[in-house]
Amino acid sequence: ILLANPGVSVAITGHTDERGTAEYNLALGQRRAAQVKRYLTSKGVPDSRLSTQSLGDSQPAVQGTDESAYQQNRRAEFQPSGGGALVRPRS
């Protein structure tokens, strides 16, 4: 989708579970977002269309202190912007 729509930019936000200090989780969330960005650039998406940030453990997807909750809170989220109507990628 990103390759077929060169006007679309994406903000990648890294999240973590609640374990660890606030500083550690912010750094971990940033590393997570940066890894996603590296993957997308390796697939041909220009670096200039991707930005990263970390929210650490400040915005959990689910509440809870079990492994299931921890797994769901370790994630990267995408916020696209620009581009207007999307073009379907060719198969």
Side-chain angles (χ1 to χ4, degrees):
I1 291 172
L2 290 173
L3 294 175
N5 294 276
V8 175
S9 295
V10 176
I12 306 162
T13 304
H15 297 269
T16 67
D17 62 41
E18 66 184 26
R19 297 175 290 183
T21 65
E23 294 82 15
Y24 175 81
N25 285 335
L26 281 173
L28 178 59
Q30 186 59 43
R31 289 193 305 272
R32 183 166 284 136
Q35 183 61 36
V36 171
K37 181 178 179 177
R38 279 191 293 277
Y39 174 79
L40 292 173
T41 57
S42 77
K43 298 298 181 184
V45 179
D47 182 76
S48 61
R49 293 175 46 207
L50 304 169
S51 63
T52 62
Q53 69 174 354
S54 174
L55 293 179
D57 63 352
S58 67
Q59 294 183 7
V62 297
Q63 298 296 319
T65 56
D66 60 359
E67 189 55 38
S68 175
Y70 293 153
Q71 287 176 359
Q72 293 176 70
N73 289 327
R74 294 188 300 257
R75 68 194 190 283
E77 294 183 338
F78 301 89
Q79 181 63 50
S81 63
L86 296 178
V87 174
R88 180 180 293 233
R90 293 183 178 179
S91 302

